[in-house]
Amino acid sequence: MDELEFYLEDLKSKFLKINPSDYYLSYSGGKDSHFLFWFLREWLKNNDYEMYQKYLDIKIVGINTYMEHKEILDRMKNNCDIVLRSELKPLEIKEKHGSPCFSKWQDDMIDRYQRGCRRPYLVEIINGVKNDTGEKIQGRFKLNSTAKKGVIDGTLHKISPKCCEFLKKKPAAKYEKESNRKAILGVRGGESGLRKSQYTTCFQKNGRFTPLWDLTDETIDGIYGKFKIETPEVYKQIKRTGCMGCPYGSYKGNTEKELRLLNKNQRNFVCSYFKESYDVLGIDYKKILNEDE
């Protein structure tokens, strides 16, 4: 048994700790959630048929956010038992709440400030200095310089991280309440500093099951290669996908790469939807749109 097979056996032992009728797999069509889908529907079938039959009771549930790459949406439709939809569409969310821009945490702070909150801790974050001493705030819990300047001088557009809340979290929460099931999430602790501190075990306080919390890039890439797991073409160009063109990938240069992978209609919609944030972040979407002409 090599290291990859050992990992799969260890993953199996994690799943044995749950009652399948109490859970559903939150399936985005992305690399991590599809790995869990493959494990439940293919690997178990070939390696433990009795467990496979029992764990068919885990429902595969996707959420159509209206913002998926076509490959990912097709994958979702083909593999899910249920595909949920948000009650609000992206443009409705933008009009009512604002657009994503810098990061979920920074956008949340900006959103609160733009809506009139002036609590001392928030004022410290916005100004980047401690109220009592005037000392500069160090570390990650502060706005970047572009965000800080735009908030203080009032030039920023209406900003909010609520896209994810309405397009993903609320439909999932409604399903969980109606089905009385908890989510199995394909999140990994090593994906970011915040997730590294959040995910240190398979079982979260809210009851959700995160069996991939300790999975490394090397291991998942090795399993995909060894077992020839289907990989959408989009992943040959960018490492991760979410909502098409989301500004949250801009710091890695993913947004401009992603825009070039979209068809013309998708690109026009995404650039119109995120244009204010793209302007602030310096994403040259106009140049990319001109490439279509």
Side-chain angles (χ1 to χ4, degrees):
M1 181 183 295
D2 64 20
E3 291 183 6
L4 301 180
E5 291 167 335
F6 179 83
Y7 178 83
L8 290 166
E9 288 292 342
D10 183 60
L11 183 59
K12 172 184 167 181
S13 70
K14 293 175 181 176
F15 269 92
L16 285 171
K17 296 176 182 178
I18 69 170
N19 180 355
S21 63
D22 292 337
Y23 288 88
Y24 73 96
L25 173 62
S26 178
Y27 183 81
S28 68
K31 189 173 183 179
D32 297 334
S33 68
H34 186 74
F35 169 60
L36 286 173
F37 171 82
W38 170 83
F39 173 80
L40 291 167
R41 294 295 190 259
E42 296 294 332
W43 191 85
L44 282 182
K45 185 176 182 179
N46 295 326
N47 292 274
D48 190 330
Y49 193 74
E50 182 178 350
M51 183 176 175
Y52 160 75
Q53 288 184 306
K54 182 179 179 182
Y55 279 68
L56 283 173
D57 198 32
I58 293 176
K59 299 296 182 184
I60 312 299
V61 180
I63 302 173
N64 180 0
T65 66
Y66 311 97
M67 296 289 288
E68 285 86 13
H69 288 265
K70 185 178 185 304
E71 277 185 288
I72 302 301
L73 182 59
D74 289 344
R75 200 183 207 191
M76 193 184 297
K77 290 177 178 177
N78 290 335
N79 295 330
C80 287
D81 299 308
I82 304 166
V83 178
L84 309 174
R85 285 180 182 269
S86 168
E87 293 180 2
L88 293 179
K89 292 185 178 180
L91 287 175
E92 294 172 318
I93 298 169
K94 177 181 179 179
E95 181 178 354
K96 185 173 182 179
H97 299 284
S99 307
C101 191
F102 298 102
S103 70
K104 289 183 180 179
W105 181 81
Q106 290 187 90
D107 288 358
D108 183 39
M109 298 300 106
I110 294 169
D111 175 44
R112 297 182 190 195
Y113 193 85
Q114 287 182 330
R115 286 188 290 111
C117 178
R118 294 296 184 271
R119 291 185 178 179
Y121 81 93
L122 183 61
V123 173
E124 284 187 342
I125 289 169
I126 298 300
N127 292 323
V129 296
K130 295 182 179 179
N131 295 330
D132 53 349
T133 65
E135 179 186 357
K136 287 186 177 181
I137 296 174
Q138 303 297 322
R140 67 186 182 189
F141 295 110
K142 61 180 181 179
L143 301 187
N144 67 39
S145 57
T146 302
K148 175 183 174 181
K149 181 179 183 301
V151 174
I152 292 174
D153 65 22
T155 58
L156 279 182
H157 56 293
K158 193 175 181 180
I159 285 179
S160 171
K162 288 188 170 63
C163 238
C164 290
E165 178 182 342
F166 284 94
L167 294 180
K168 298 177 182 178
K169 292 181 181 179
K170 284 185 177 293
K174 182 180 179 182
Y175 174 77
E176 290 176 16
K177 184 176 181 180
E178 293 173 349
S179 67
N180 201 30
R181 289 176 181 252
K182 295 294 185 182
I184 300 171
L185 299 174
V187 294
R188 295 191 279 138
E191 290 178 322
S192 68
L194 182 60
R195 284 190 172 183
K196 193 170 186 178
S197 63
Q198 284 181 326
Y199 297 102
T200 57
T201 178
C202 290
F203 295 97
Q204 305 306 310
K205 291 181 180 179
N206 57 14
R208 292 175 176 176
F209 183 51
T210 54
L212 303 186
W213 71 274
D214 58 349
L215 178 60
T216 64
D217 286 341
E218 293 76 18
T219 299
I220 192 170
D221 288 343
I223 292 172
Y224 261 80
K226 177 173 181 175
F227 294 94
K228 296 180 173 54
I229 302 174
E230 173 205 1
T231 303
E233 287 295 317
V234 66
Y235 283 114
K236 297 178 182 178
Q237 305 294 325
I238 55 178
K239 188 174 181 181
R240 302 190 61 80
T241 62
C243 291
M244 295 183 295
C246 180
Y248 290 155
S250 64
Y251 72 102
K252 293 184 178 180
N254 280 344
T255 301
E256 292 184 11
K257 290 181 184 177
E258 197 172 3
L259 289 176
R260 288 189 166 91
L261 298 176
L262 307 179
N263 64 45
K264 186 176 180 179
N265 289 336
Q266 289 173 325
R267 191 156 43 243
N268 286 338
F269 172 77
V270 167
C271 288
S272 174
Y273 184 59
F274 292 124
K275 64 181 179 180
E276 295 88 354
S277 295
Y278 287 171
D279 286 335
V280 170
L281 296 169
I283 296 172
D284 196 355
Y285 64 96
K286 294 178 182 177
K287 177 182 176 181
I288 296 171
L289 289 175
N290 288 334
E291 293 171 2
D292 290 330
E293 298 179 359

